[in-house]
Amino acid sequence: MSFKQSQQEVDKWASQFEPAYWRPHEILARITEEVGELARLINHSYGPKPKKSSEAAQEMGEELADIIFALFCLANSQGIDLDKSFSRVMDKAYGRDNDRFPKKTN
């Protein structure tokens, strides 16, 4: 599914509510909250902080998808086409940043 298709799916869901989207700073707070949940999971999985026995299990893919969902909400609320924006980012990665990091040797 492309970003455009995903954005349309999120918009279809959000459009049933009034307002369909929160204000940008409210969505940013939600994104920050979701990133915090991912950070906690990564710290439990790879860092020194053990998970409390009372904490529910988390799945990294779902935490990442929560962030993506909130990002789609922000993009939709601002009329941003993420397919176009992501294409520009990849052009930048292959252009400006292509020789920035060591490459694998075969």
Side-chain angles (χ1 to χ4, degrees):
M1 186 180 297
S2 70
F3 286 149
K4 184 180 230 42
Q5 291 168 315
S6 296
Q7 283 184 258
Q8 289 170 342
E9 185 68 22
V10 168
D11 193 61
K12 178 180 171 187
W13 178 83
S15 291
Q16 67 184 323
F17 304 106
E18 185 60 44
Y21 296 103
W22 298 338
R23 293 175 295 191
H25 71 281
E26 294 170 323
I27 299 172
L28 179 60
R30 172 73 186 270
I31 292 167
T32 303
E33 189 178 313
E34 297 297 349
V35 170
E37 291 178 15
L38 176 63
R40 187 172 180 87
L41 171 61
I42 288 174
N43 197 26
H44 288 155
S45 299
Y46 303 102
K49 185 175 182 181
K51 193 174 200 54
K52 294 177 189 173
S53 60
S54 62
E55 288 183 273
Q58 294 171 288
E59 200 268 318
M60 192 178 301
E62 189 171 325
E63 296 303 329
L64 289 166
D66 285 343
I67 295 166
I68 293 168
F69 178 87
L71 289 169
F72 285 154
C73 287
L74 182 58
N76 286 353
S77 76
Q78 299 303 299
I80 295 169
D81 180 336
L82 286 175
D83 278 327
K84 289 180 183 175
S85 297
F86 190 74
S87 180
R88 287 193 305 268
V89 167
M90 290 309 299
D91 289 346
K92 187 170 42 175
Y94 280 111
R96 182 191 72 193
D97 298 335
N98 200 44
D99 295 321
R100 188 173 185 183
F101 304 102
K103 294 193 177 176
K104 293 180 181 181
T105 57
N106 292 337

